[in-house]
Amino acid sequence: MSYSLVYTRQARKDAKKLKGTHMAKKAKELLEVIQENPYADPPPFEALVGDLKGAYAGRVDIEGSLVYDVVQYG
């Protein structure tokens, strides 16, 4: 089963900044894994708490994470 990726306006802005950086390849790899199975391990994804409860994060590098939410439609 494959999932659809829907990007927020902020994610599209961030993607433009990310293009051409050392993190771009890792972010693309994480997005491919998320599209196939958003709960996959590895890579290690962690469930977030607090204001972001229900969302998940995957580490891109030491200073950046890819934060996403899984939503079922239908």
Side-chain angles (χ1 to χ4, degrees):
M1 180 173 167
S2 183
Y3 293 80
S4 297
L5 298 177
V6 179
Y7 300 94
T8 63
R9 183 180 304 139
Q10 185 62 48
R12 290 190 295 269
K13 288 180 184 178
D14 291 343
K16 289 178 185 177
K17 296 176 193 173
L18 190 65
K19 197 170 188 172
T21 68
H22 69 282
M23 296 185 296
K25 181 180 176 189
K26 178 68 174 178
K28 184 176 180 180
E29 291 171 357
L30 288 174
L31 289 171
E32 290 171 358
V33 170
I34 291 168
Q35 188 170 13
E36 187 62 35
N37 180 2
Y39 306 107
D41 190 28
F45 293 104
E46 57 186 274
L48 301 177
V49 296
D51 292 345
L52 295 174
K53 186 174 182 177
Y56 299 87
R59 180 72 50 198
V60 176
D61 72 356
I62 197 159
E63 50 186 57
S65 293
L66 189 136
V67 177
Y68 66 96
D69 194 6
V70 179
V71 180
Q72 289 184 310
Y73 293 101

